[in-house]
Amino acid sequence: MYKHIFNSVLLAIIGTSSFAQHAPTIIPIETRQNVLVLQTDKDNHLGITYFGKKLSQPTEYKLILSQSRQLDGNAGIYNSAYTPAGTWNVSEPALQVTHGDGNKSLDLIYVSHNTAKENDNVSLTSIVLKDPVYAVEVTLFYKTYFQENVVEQWSVIKSEEKKPVTLEKYASANLYFIAKDYYLTHYNGTWAKEMNPEEEQLTAGIRVLDSKLGTRANLYQPPTFSLSFDKPATETEGKVLLGTLAWSGNFKMEFEVDSYHNLRLLAGINPYASEYPLASKQEFKTPSFIYTFSENGKGEASRNLHNWARKYRILDGEGTRMTLLNNWEATYFDFNENKLSELFKDGKKLGVDLFLLDDGWFANKYPRNSDGSGLGDWQENVKKLPNGIGYLVKEAQKTGIKFGIWVEPEMVNPKSELYEKHPDWVIKQPQRPEHYMRNQLPLDLSNPEVQDFVYGILDKLFTENPDIAYIKWDCNATTFNPYSAYLEKSKQAQSKLYVDYVKGLYKVLEKLRAKYPKVLMMLCSGGGGRVDYEALKYFTEFWPSDNTDPLERIFMQWEYSYFFPSIALSAHVTDWGKQPLKFRTDVAMMGRLGYDIVVSHLNEKDLQFSQQAVAHYNAVKDVIFQGDLFRLVDPKKNDYAALMYATKSKSKAVLFAYLVGNRNGDGSDTPIRLEGLDASKNYKVKELNLYPGTKSAIREDQVYSGEYLMTAGFNPVVNARRTSVVIEIEAM
Ligand code: DGJ
């Protein structure tokens, strides 16, 4: 491929010591716009010499090392591509092990590399590193998605030592950046307050983002961030990397500004209480760290991720999604067959595709009439549902609507038959009092019997009711008192629990998807307590938050949109917040639209409005799901928010605008420059979702050129009298 790359086979033959005298090996990991350059130093350690915009002459990558005192290996090797612990390295390691003989030193020397093309767009580079003293080997993997400018990086650690090696720390990725300054945007939150962004300039030392919550790992912090170089990036300007770890458990990301003011990034599973034993010839594969980089701001970077996620990651990401009516906030636990039959009719009246039956349908000895009992006993409650789920599926179908159902299969209430029968399946410390979140405890998914049980819940539902069209998979407690009776009994280390739980979960999901590949499935964790790109291999969408106050959702969905495309984001119209129905509906239309309201309480106009909204949504949802997203007016900095989705062909777009602050109440008093249109095309605009009896403030007979809309701009006229506006823009 590149003439200057050393022949890897030759390298393996000549060995490392003779290689040390020769020219370095340079490995560029390239996407359409960017490159990560890896290079061996005089001792054959692999370092990162460059990250950023691709050079047109790859031969010039070799010049970088010689220009930089900081990278030449004499000044201390900070730029390692995978930093080992206990030898020459004195900074935070990517890999730290204890060998079979108790020794804690590790060195990693470049051995070989290989790049294989999976297809025209996807390539996989693997780089083998070896400890010259101990039989430990690491392969670094870099999977590139060329067009999308996305890199997926992970490592595989293998030991051939006779005795087990203990992995003390095992990062997925180790990167190194050289810039003037670094600005990190990370997120914090808790239940109903997810995704609050904070941007800070990184200073000397290590900034850590992490989770130790086990299940529901993202409750306080998601494994996602954006990192701007030199200065804070905007939507359209600046160098920025968006990164995310594909792991549904404890994670740790470390950002270390070193003594040269360069930035080391380590991302992976949180090693906290998770030393992992590795038997001889066993391999440990770390989760993927996924990232994209743009020189043109966060807008382009997030579109890169969206394009990648829809095409390569989210289950059925290029497909479509169903609108639904959910009964959670309409009934909570209080329902029966008659009530549900009425709700099916309400759903039909509204025009949605599916009815989603939420929590409360199961358990008999300890009925699930509140969140205090029944979790784990997945038999229909005979009082509420004497004719079972099968009857409901048929009733729904008779009404002309599909049927979906809620489960929380990883959890158990102590007040349940499951707990009575299998106390050893529960994660809890044997000698300590139990500690609950929402009156429940996680089941021990490191145990294969528990994996079978969890799989069996879903398998039974689908086998008995093959027409179930949707699953909402919930997970409402974090892991307290981590201890596994199974690991104890099978003489395995307790420190495997956090990792093996997640691996167990993936095993269940893998098996489930092998048998039921297509069913729509929502990833929910009491709101946004769990969302990542490994789980989204199995789920078609996620529930960002239980907070559905539309004003809050504008901000939250805005932040999620940096990392996840709209097709994966569930958004429901509920009674949360003080905004009118139109506002609530307009906001929910920016994701997979659903309702969680008492439809029979809607007055005539509200019902008429909602029916039209569902019809409008169906007409434009493909633009929202598959189009390019442009965040135009930031609600954090303005009285109003505006964003638009435009098809790749630039023939259709949908613009959303909302008043979010009332200090001036002015709203959009000047035009907004639109994006993603074709300057040479002509467009007509049309207001959607007008509330019955109101008139649009937009002239629909006016034709605008794309150039005009993107240069002079367009005013959606959002103000105190028109607090939310949806506009369809269509090429003529
Ligand atoms: C938490 C979820 O986020 C809610 O939407 C609902 O499904 C409840 N659990 C049910 O217990």
Side-chain angles (χ1 to χ4, degrees), residues 334-395:
D334 180 20
F335 55 82
N336 56 31
E337 278 174 358
N338 287 342
K339 221 175 188 177
L340 292 178
S341 294
E342 288 308 310
L343 296 182
F344 298 160
K345 288 182 203 149
D346 285 347
K348 181 68 191 164
K349 208 194 284 174
L350 205 55
V352 295
D353 303 313
L354 182 130
F355 177 82
L356 169 60
L357 175 59
D358 214 286
D359 195 355
W361 58 267
F362 50 89
N364 288 293
K365 182 172 175 189
Y366 304 106
R368 180 74 173 169
N369 292 329
S370 74
D371 60 22
S373 61
L375 207 51
D377 301 344
W378 297 100
Q379 302 78 32
E380 293 97 323
N381 178 279
V382 290
K383 271 206 184 133
K384 288 182 195 171
L385 308 177
N387 295 300
I389 296 296
Y391 169 80
L392 292 179
V393 179
K394 287 208 182 74
E395 276 299 295

Side-chain angles (χ1 to χ4, degrees), residues 326 328 333 358-359 368 406 438 472 474 476 524-527 543 546:
N326 189 187
W328 175 239
F333 297 95
D358 214 286
D359 195 355
R368 180 74 173 169
W406 177 97
R438 210 192 188 209
K472 175 177 179 182
D474 210 342
N476 284 291
C524 173
S525 187
W543 184 234
D546 276 353

Side-chain angles (χ1 to χ4, degrees), residues 666-683:
D666 288 342
S668 60
D669 42 15
T670 49
I672 309 165
R673 284 193 187 134
L674 305 190
E675 291 184 56
L677 302 176
D678 183 337
S680 63
K681 280 190 174 135
N682 282 332
Y683 293 89

Side-chain angles (χ1 to χ4, degrees), residues 412-604:
V412 63
N413 282 130
K415 212 168 157 192
S416 68
E417 289 184 77
L418 180 69
Y419 186 98
E420 288 175 348
K421 218 168 138 198
H422 294 291
D424 55 326
W425 282 9
V426 180
I427 295 182
K428 58 188 177 108
Q429 286 287 350
Q431 294 171 328
R432 295 186 189 277
E434 290 174 5
H435 192 83
Y436 308 121
M437 178 179 263
R438 210 192 188 209
N439 309 308
Q440 64 192 58
L441 294 164
L443 293 172
D444 177 7
L445 269 170
S446 73
N447 182 344
E449 272 180 16
V450 176
Q451 293 165 18
D452 288 346
F453 169 78
V454 172
Y455 170 79
I457 299 165
L458 278 297
D459 191 39
K460 182 166 176 282
L461 271 174
F462 285 131
T463 312
E464 291 174 359
N465 312 287
D467 287 342
I468 286 181
Y470 188 96
I471 296 286
K472 175 177 179 182
W473 180 305
D474 210 342
C475 171
N476 284 291
T478 57
T479 309
F480 299 112
N481 286 323
Y483 175 89
S484 158
Y486 164 75
L487 289 174
E488 200 61 37
K489 206 168 146 205
S490 54
K491 298 197 166 48
Q492 299 184 64
Q494 284 297 329
S495 58
K496 289 175 75 182
L497 180 57
Y498 282 126
V499 171
D500 283 3
Y501 182 97
V502 182
K503 287 187 173 178
L505 174 67
Y506 294 154
K507 266 192 200 155
V508 172
L509 291 166
E510 194 68 43
K511 195 165 157 193
L512 204 62
R513 280 311 187 185
K515 191 160 172 194
Y516 309 101
K518 290 224 165 94
V519 166
L520 295 172
M521 204 152 85
M522 181 212 275
L523 174 62
C524 173
S525 187
R530 178 195 270 170
V531 52
D532 65 84
Y533 272 123
E534 193 61 23
L536 285 173
K537 276 182 177 170
Y538 308 102
F539 290 88
T540 48
E541 52 196 82
F542 71 96
W543 184 234
S545 175
D546 276 353
N547 189 341
T548 46
D549 177 331
L551 214 46
E552 292 302 321
R553 274 296 184 112
I554 290 170
F555 289 84
M556 251 182 226
Q557 294 178 190
W558 185 278
E559 299 305 327
Y560 275 117
S561 81
Y562 286 107
F563 306 95
F564 304 102
S566 296
I567 191 166
L569 190 145
S570 315
H572 292 180
V573 177
T574 71
D575 288 329
W576 282 59
K578 299 192 185 90
Q579 310 299 325
L581 180 68
K582 170 172 163 52
F583 194 109
R584 288 181 270 146
T585 310
D586 290 353
V587 173
M589 275 175 73
M590 295 189 298
R592 193 278 292 130
L593 173 69
Y595 288 82
D596 200 346
I597 50 169
V598 184
V599 178
S600 59
H601 290 175
L602 296 178
N603 66 34
E604 209 178 300

